[in-house]
C-alpha cells in the first residue's frame, strides 16, 4: 500500500534513507513537570498524552494553533513551546531561521521504527531537526445522499450548483495547491502567472464557500447538519463521519490528490528539550504509534506499528490508499525563498479580500 507513496517521496524529496546521529552530550538533570505541545486542535489522542504523564510524571500542556504559519510566527516572536507539529514544506523556513533545536537521538532510540524511506529527506538531512509524524491524502468529502451528480474533480468546488454548500479550511498552501490542480497546474508551481491564476480561483471560492475556523477539529459537523454538502478534508473527517452513520463518499480527485506529511520538531528556545525527546521516543513505540493511528485515523511512518493497527483501519483505502488511486499524486514540497515570498504576498491579498 505504501510503495507508491514512498518511492514518490524518495524521488521528489531526495531521500538518502540515512540514520541520524546524536549530539555529544545528554542531560541527567531532574525531569521537568510539564512540556508544551503546539499542534492542530485534537491532533493527538488524549489517551496518549495521559499515558505519557502516567509513565513519566510529565504533564503535556496541549496548545492549539490556527495555522502552522501562525506557529512559525509565534516561535520567531519568542513564544516558548517544547514540541511543535509542522508540515514538511515549512521545515526549511524554520531550520534556516535557526528556530529549531537539533535532536539528540540517544534519547530517541525508537526512531529505528521509522520506515527508512521517510528518513533523511532533502528538507531535513539526517533528520537532524524533525521526526516524521502523520501523513495522508487530501480529498473531497461528499454527502452522497444529498448530492446526486458525480463529484470527481477539484474543479467541482467551483460549480455554481454548490454555492454556499462547500466548506474548506483556510490553510494557505493547501488552498493554493487545490486551486492550481483545478487549473491543470502543479500543486508546487512557482510560476507567477500560474499562482496568480490560482489566487483568482481562490477569490471566486471565497465568495461562494464556507471557510471553517482552523481550530475546529473536523468538518464533519458542517456536513452532518447539511449546512455543507461538499468539503475538503482528510481521512479523519471521512472516517469520523462514516462511524457516525453519515453517508459520506471520500473522493480522490481526478486531477490528482495531494499528499501531505507532518513532522514533530523542538524549538531552539525550548528549556525542556530532554523531556520533549522522551515524548518523541514514547510515541514512536510500536504500540503507541498504533494507538495514535487507531484513534486519529491518520497513518504514521512507523513500520513496527503495523501489527498493532486495527485490521479494519490497516485495510481501509481511505487511510492507506492503494497504488492505483495515486496515479496523479503530488507531494507538497518546500518552496524556494522566492516562491515562498510570492505565496505569502498573494495570501495576504486573499486575506485582505475576505469579507
Amino acid at each position: 500500500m505504501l510503495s507508491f507513496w514512498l518511492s514518490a517521496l524518495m524521488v521528489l524529496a531526495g531521500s538518502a534513507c540515512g540514520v541520524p546521529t546524536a549530539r555529544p552530550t545528554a542531560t541527567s538533570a531532574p525531569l521537568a513537570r510539564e512540556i508544551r505541545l503546539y499542534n492542530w486542535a485534537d491532533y493527538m489522542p488524549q489517551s496518549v498524552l495521559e499515558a505519557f504523564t502516567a509513565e513519566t510524571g510529565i504533564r503535556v500542556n496541549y496548545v492549539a494553533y490556527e495555522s502552522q504559519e501562525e506557529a512559525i510566527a509565534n516561535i520567531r516572536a519568542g513564544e516558548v513551546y517544547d514540541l511543535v507539529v509542522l508540515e514538511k514544506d515549512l521545515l526549511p523556513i524554520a531550520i534556516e531561521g535557526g528556530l529549531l533545536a537539533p535532536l539528540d537521538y540517544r534519547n530517541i532510540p525508537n526512531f529505528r521504527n521509522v520506515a527508512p524511506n521517510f528518513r533523511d529527506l532533502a528538507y531535513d538531512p539526517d533528520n537532524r531537526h524533525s521526526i516524521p509524524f502523520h501523513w495522508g491524502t487530501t480529498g473531497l468529502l461528499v454527502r452522497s445522499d444529498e448530492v446526486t451528480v458525480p463529484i470527481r474533480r477539484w474543479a467541482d468546488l467551483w460549480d455554481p450548483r454548490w454555492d454556499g454548500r462547500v466548506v474548506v479550511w483556510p490553510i494557505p498552501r493547501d488552498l493554493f495547491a487545490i486551486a492550481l490542480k483545478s487549473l491543470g497546474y502543479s500543486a508546487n508551481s512557482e510560476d507567477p502567472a500560474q499562482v496568480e491564476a490560482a489566487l483568482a480561483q481562490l477569490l471566486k471560492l471565497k465568495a461562494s464557500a464556507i471557510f471553517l475556523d482552523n481550530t475546529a477539529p473536523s468538518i464533519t459537523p458542517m456536513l452532518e447538519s447539511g449546512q455543507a454538502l461538499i468539503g475538503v478534508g482528510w481521512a479523519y473527517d471521512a472516517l469520523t463521519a462514516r462511524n457516525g452513520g453519515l453517508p459520506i463518499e471520500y473522493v480522490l480527485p481526478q486531477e490528482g490528490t495531494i499528499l501531505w506529511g507532518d513532522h514533530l520538531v523542538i524549538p531552539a528556545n525550548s528549556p525542556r528539550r530532554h523531556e520533549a525527546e522522551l515524548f518523541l521516543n514514547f510515541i514512536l513505540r510500536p504500540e503507541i504509534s498504533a494507538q495514535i493511528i487507531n484513534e486519529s485515523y491518520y497513518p504514521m511512518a512507523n513500520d513496527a506499528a503495523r501489527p498493532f493497527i486495527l485490521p479494519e483501519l490497516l485495510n481501509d483505502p481511505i487511510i492507506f490508499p492503494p497504488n492505483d488511486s495515486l496515479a496523479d499524486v503530488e507531494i507538497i514540497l518546500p518552496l524556494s525563498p522566492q516562491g515562498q515570498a510570492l505565496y505569502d504576498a498573494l495570501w495576504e491579498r486573499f486575506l485582505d479580500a475576505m469579507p
Side-chain angles (χ1 to χ4, degrees):
M1 294 179 181
L2 304 185
S3 59
F4 185 99
W5 195 95
L6 295 176
S7 60
L9 189 61
M10 289 178 67
V11 170
L12 292 176
S15 172
C17 300
V19 177
T21 55
R23 286 187 278 124
T25 59
T27 180
S28 59
L31 296 178
R33 299 181 64 181
E34 179 179 284
I35 57 173
R36 297 188 80 199
L37 171 58
Y38 201 27
N39 197 356
W40 295 111
D42 295 331
Y43 202 48
M44 181 74 74
Q46 183 63 31
S47 63
V48 171
L49 304 181
E50 291 173 357
F52 177 72
T53 301
E55 181 172 310
T56 65
I58 303 169
R59 176 178 175 270
V60 181
N61 180 4
Y62 195 101
V63 183
Y65 48 58
E66 292 192 14
S67 72
Q68 296 190 346
E69 290 77 11
E70 172 195 288
I72 291 283
N74 284 342
I75 296 169
R76 186 176 284 124
E79 292 289 331
V80 177
Y81 309 99
D82 303 302
L83 286 163
V84 181
V85 171
L86 292 179
E87 171 70 89
K88 72 171 78 67
D89 59 282
L90 292 176
L91 286 179
I93 297 172
I95 293 170
E96 292 164 13
L99 302 181
L100 305 183
L103 301 175
D104 185 344
Y105 279 93
R106 287 174 300 175
N107 297 322
I108 318 172
N110 286 330
F111 185 82
R112 63 179 176 267
N113 296 324
V114 172
N117 289 335
F118 283 85
R119 304 178 190 174
D120 193 25
L121 302 179
Y123 45 79
D124 185 20
D126 292 326
N127 286 92
R128 184 168 170 78
H129 298 92
S130 67
I131 296 286
F133 186 35
H134 285 312
W135 65 272
T137 61
T138 303
L140 297 173
L141 286 87
V142 182
R143 276 287 302 262
S144 56
D145 59 331
E146 297 283 349
V147 178
T148 57
V149 299
I151 302 297
R152 293 290 178 264
R153 301 161 60 240
W154 291 119
D156 291 331
L157 294 172
W158 283 265
D159 189 322
R161 285 178 290 186
W162 314 121
D163 282 0
R165 310 301 295 276
V166 170
V167 58
V168 299
W169 302 83
I171 301 174
R173 193 67 196 280
D174 287 7
L175 284 181
F176 272 107
I178 290 167
L180 285 163
K181 295 291 282 183
S182 76
L183 295 168
Y185 303 135
S186 167
N188 295 297
S189 176
E190 297 188 14
D191 181 293
Q194 293 180 4
V195 185
E196 186 76 39
L199 174 63
Q201 279 283 84
L202 293 180
L203 291 175
K204 294 177 187 175
L205 192 64
K206 169 196 72 72
S208 63
I210 303 165
F211 284 80
L212 196 65
D213 186 332
N214 276 341
T215 61
S218 174
I219 67 171
T220 300
M222 298 287 292
L223 296 166
E224 184 175 21
S225 70
Q227 187 175 353
L229 300 180
I230 303 170
V232 173
W234 304 282
Y236 174 81
D237 301 295
L239 269 68
T240 300
R242 188 176 71 185
N243 292 343
L246 198 62
I248 289 291
E249 181 183 10
Y250 184 68
V251 177
L252 298 182
Q254 291 174 353
E255 301 99 326
T257 187
I258 299 162
L259 286 175
W260 54 271
D262 279 331
H263 292 68
L264 281 151
V265 300
I266 300 176
N269 66 347
S270 166
R272 295 170 287 268
R273 296 186 195 180
H274 180 70
E275 290 82 355
E277 288 165 347
L278 295 181
F279 183 83
L280 293 175
N281 194 56
F282 180 78
I283 66 169
L284 289 177
R285 288 183 193 170
E287 66 276 17
I288 300 298
S289 286
Q291 182 178 346
I292 294 172
I293 296 167
N294 290 338
E295 294 192 35
S296 72
Y297 305 144
Y298 292 121
M300 292 177 65
N302 188 331
D303 282 348
R306 293 177 71 85
F308 303 94
I309 300 172
L310 294 173
E312 60 266 30
L313 299 185
L314 192 60
N315 297 314
D316 194 315
I318 293 178
I319 302 177
F320 295 98
N323 292 346
D324 59 5
S325 69
L326 301 177
D328 297 311
V329 67
E330 274 202 86
I331 298 172
I332 295 293
L333 296 174
L335 298 167
S336 70
Q338 296 81 7
Q340 188 66 54
L342 172 64
Y343 275 65
D344 289 345
L346 294 186
W347 183 249
E348 285 302 316
R349 286 170 53 189
F350 175 80
L351 292 178
D352 290 342
M354 289 287 282

